[in-house]
Each structure stands twice: as structure tokens, then as C-alpha cells.
Amino acid sequence: MAKTKAPTLPERVASRIDALTATERRIAEYLSAHPQEAAFSSAEELGRATGTSDASVVRTAKALGFDGLPGLKRSLQGELQALLTPANRLSNSLESFDDGAEGILTATLRDHVERLQQAERSIDPQAFEHAVELIDQARETVICGFAGLDGISAYTATHLTRIGRRARTATDTGYRLADRLLMLGPEDVVIVIAHNRIIVETRVILDLCAEVGARAVLITDTLGEALRDQVDAVLSAPTSRPGTFTSQATVLILLEALVIAVAARDQNRSLETTDRMNQLREELMGFSRADEVALNLPSQRRARKRTNRTESA
């Protein structure tokens, strides 16, 4: 059997945050946001950095499930060696960039490459395959992304529909979300996108899935450890380094991979549905897609312009 991947420090913090005291929470959040300092600093140094004490730092490490500060530091040093050293180099490079557009473009592209490399290591292939099976077998897939993720959710639902799978979004917040959840049933699957903290909408959705028997797939940055027992599959999609602009590019690529993998499970169905969509488009436009291409060829446009000028003369 495959060895279970140990939870990361941010995952431990997210899963235990409600059980921590105010002091422990302050220390835990600092350790999570400053992994390099946490990995190589003493308890006394971390106590000064957080405005607490060395004893509080040790208690916090134990509250997070480590055998003490040495265990926490060993865990972080392993993660840094595997994941964070390239990110740290990029962070140092970013600090040296000026505000020029070229430097920002280069830094952003490199940062996203690093995020994708992390995702390749952090996503469990078996969990991904299980998520694909659930979506493929579902009566309907409901994508739930909040706080700016409604566009990504709608994009995914559209592409699932285009390959012949029923899909829709449930991205409203507050009481309006109730209307989107009413028809959820045991043959459905819900894709929940949630990062950093468990909002009330996420809690209500997962509770409802458990109540009606719907399956749940979680796409998350740090909540996998906290919510693993409440979902059927966890897909870890790192979004950004702590304290930096949050990007959902990794989430979008992961969702696209899910759509393509679902399409591959029944290629005939996927292609037939796509062909049918093209037929409907042609009927709506009044001409075929091939005609549309011909109408927009530069040579065709130039020929029409010459004809018009001749007739005017």
C-alpha cells in the first residue's frame, strides 16, 4: 500500500486552528507564513519574533502534532529542501526587480512554473483518478467556488457540458446559495474549491453532501488535512507563497485536467456531444463553421473590397 503523505505545516495549522489558544494561533500563523525562519531558528528566536516565549513556541509545536520543536523543524527542513528552495530564490529575485513590466512578467511566469511543479508533487494520482471516476459516473456535477472563483467554476461547468456531462455552478454566497443546493442528491458530485479557511458556505455544502449522500471532491491549498474525512477525494493545488498575490492558475489547470480525463473515459460520447454543439452553433449562426472561416479570410476580404471599389467607379 502507498505510504500516506504527511500533512504540511499549513495543513496542520488549518486543521487545528480552532483548538489553539490565541498565543498558539499567533505562533502557528507565523511559523506557517515564515517556513525558513521556523526551520532554522531556535525556540528563543521564534519567541522574540512572535512576541511570546520559547516555552509557548514549544507548546505550539506539540499542539500542531509534532513531538516538539525539533520535530517541527525536521519536517520544515524536509519540505524546504524539496519544495521551497526554488521559491525562496524566486522571492529574492522578486525583491531585486524594479517595477518594469518585463521584470514583472518574467517573475510571474517563473512563479507559476514553480507552483505547477509543486502541484505535480503534491497531487495524489489515485485521488485524481477517483475524482475523475466520480465526475464521469455522476448524474450532475456541481462546482462550488467562492470569493472570485465563480468564473473558474462557470468555465469548468461549461466544458463538462460540452463533453456530454451535466454540470452547473453553485457560487452564490449567503442565503442565495440555498436555491442552488436544493436539488442535490445521492447521484451527484460536488467539486468544492476552498483555500486557507473553512467558510460557512463550505461547511454547509459538505454537511449537506453527507446528509443526502452526494460525493465531494475538494480542491484546496491548505485544507486537505482539516477536511479529508469529510470528502471523497482531496486534490492539493498550491496557489501562492504566504503573503503574496494569490493566483488560481494551478486550480484552473487542475480543473482542465479533470475535464480532459473525464472526456477520455468515453471518447465517443465526448466527441458526439461536441459535434452536436457545433451543429447547433451552425443553425444559430445561419452558416457552417467552414463558411465562417472562409468569410474571414484576408484574401476574401480584399477581394470584396476590390469588387466594391470597381462597382463604385
Side-chain angles (χ1 to χ4, degrees):
M1 293 183 63
K3 185 178 179 180
T4 303
K5 173 181 168 292
T8 64
L9 177 58
E11 288 174 336
R12 290 176 184 264
V13 173
S15 66
R16 295 168 169 82
I17 193 70
D18 292 334
L20 300 177
T21 66
T23 298
E24 290 170 346
R25 182 177 301 183
R26 185 197 317 170
I27 295 171
E29 290 175 344
Y30 177 87
L31 298 177
S32 182
H34 302 84
Q36 281 188 291
E37 290 86 342
F40 300 104
S41 299
S42 67
E44 183 179 358
E45 290 170 335
L46 292 172
R48 285 198 300 269
T50 57
T52 59
S53 66
D54 54 350
S56 296
V57 171
V58 174
R59 283 197 300 271
T60 302
K62 292 181 178 180
L64 292 174
F66 296 100
D67 58 3
L69 185 59
L72 182 150
K73 292 171 66 174
R74 284 194 301 270
S75 175
L76 279 178
Q77 288 167 11
E79 291 180 20
L80 286 169
Q81 183 177 4
L83 301 175
L84 298 181
T85 299
N88 180 57
R89 289 200 303 267
L90 176 58
S91 178
N92 293 335
S93 297
L94 284 171
E95 292 177 1
S96 65
F97 284 146
D98 56 24
D99 294 332
E102 183 178 353
I104 293 173
L105 172 62
T106 300
T108 301
L109 292 175
R110 289 176 180 173
D111 187 50
H112 281 80
V113 168
E114 174 62 23
R115 300 284 80 70
L116 291 173
Q117 290 173 339
Q118 288 189 26
E120 187 176 16
R121 293 186 289 261
S122 65
I123 295 173
D124 183 349
Q126 294 181 346
F128 181 84
E129 179 63 29
H130 187 39
V132 170
E133 292 175 357
L134 292 175
I135 296 169
D136 182 50
Q137 297 168 5
R139 179 187 68 90
E140 184 175 55
T141 298
V142 182
I143 302 98
C144 304
F146 307 99
L149 291 167
D150 49 338
I152 291 178
S153 302
Y155 174 87
T156 306
T158 296
H159 282 274
L160 283 172
T161 302
R162 288 177 178 176
I163 61 170
R165 274 67 176 183
R166 292 185 180 276
R168 61 183 176 86
T169 64
T171 57
D172 292 315
T173 56
Y175 72 90
R176 292 187 299 271
L177 181 60
D179 294 314
R180 308 288 180 238
L181 301 177
L182 277 176
M183 302 307 295
L184 197 65
E187 297 178 348
D188 300 325
V189 61
V190 178
I191 299 176
V192 180
I193 309 170
H195 301 303
N196 302 320
R197 62 190 182 91
I198 304 172
I199 61 176
V200 64
E201 286 81 4
T202 298
R203 175 62 61 200
V204 169
I205 289 169
L206 294 180
D207 287 347
L208 182 61
C209 285
E211 178 184 337
V212 304
R215 313 301 290 272
V217 174
L218 175 66
I219 296 179
T220 186
D221 187 352
T222 61
L223 295 177
E225 182 72 7
L227 298 176
R228 189 176 304 278
D229 294 338
Q230 301 172 53
V231 298
D232 296 275
V234 175
L235 303 179
S236 177
T239 55
S240 60
R241 298 185 309 280
T244 63
F245 182 82
T246 300
S247 168
Q248 300 296 340
T250 306
V251 173
L252 177 59
I253 292 173
L254 176 55
L255 288 168
E256 288 184 336
L258 284 172
V259 173
I260 295 171
V262 171
R265 289 178 65 87
D266 190 342
Q267 295 186 34
N268 290 334
R269 175 183 177 183
S270 300
L271 293 172
E272 287 173 0
T273 307
T274 304
D275 286 341
R276 179 56 179 156
M277 179 188 68
N278 288 333
Q279 292 172 7
L280 290 171
R281 284 179 172 180
E282 291 172 359
E283 293 175 11
L284 290 167
M285 292 186 297
F287 49 82
S288 70
R289 299 290 292 178
D291 291 339
E292 180 188 23
V293 173
L295 287 171
N296 287 284
L297 285 175
S299 59
Q300 295 267 336
R301 291 199 297 270
R302 287 197 297 270
R304 288 196 295 274
K305 288 180 179 178
R306 285 197 298 271
T307 300
N308 292 336
R309 284 198 298 268
T310 302
E311 292 175 352
S312 298

